[in-house]
Amino acid sequence: MAVLPVRRRKHLFTSKKKSFRALLSDCLGGIALVCSLLVLYLTFRQGGTATVQGGAVFLLCVVFALAGMILAVLSRREPDCYYFFSYLGMLMNGLVLAAGVLVVYLGAV
């Protein structure tokens, strides 16, 4: 009689959780990224002349991105969490902060 191989079950039990700070960082980063891209697009459509309202919205996006970056770094320091959302928040918020630095640099030149 042939012995059949025992099939191992592919269950992974873990106590890891999703960090609330990382999810909040992703939300702030997504809002900041979409709004800043929209402001930059509208400024480009107007021939490069920015309005005061557009500048205020872009500044608010940079503030949101800074808060999101702080939350992402704090969520990365939490133990036993999934870090994908922390890295995603760092990426999105970093893009907005880099765009803010670029806009300020190009405005000063």
Side-chain angles (χ1 to χ4, degrees), residues 91-102:
L91 177 70
M92 286 191 295
N93 292 310
L95 287 174
V96 174
L97 289 174
V101 168
L102 184 67

Side-chain angles (χ1 to χ4, degrees), residues 7-22:
R7 293 180 63 186
R8 297 182 71 191
R9 296 187 180 182
K10 306 242 175 166
H11 295 290
L12 178 65
F13 296 104
T14 181
S15 63
K16 287 187 176 184
K17 58 183 174 36
K18 295 176 186 167
S19 173
F20 177 73
R21 289 178 182 168

Side-chain angles (χ1 to χ4, degrees), residues 56-104:
V57 169
F58 194 77
L59 181 64
L60 188 64
C61 289
V62 169
V63 170
F64 279 178
L66 188 62
M69 183 63 81
I70 291 170
L71 285 172
V73 169
L74 289 177
S75 70
R76 176 58 185 93
R77 295 181 64 194
E78 292 179 6
D80 296 330
C81 289
Y82 291 111
Y83 297 127
F84 172 74
F85 293 107
S86 298
Y87 293 134
L88 183 65
M90 286 181 199
L91 177 70
M92 286 191 295
N93 292 310
L95 287 174
V96 174
L97 289 174
V101 168
L102 184 67
V103 165
V104 169

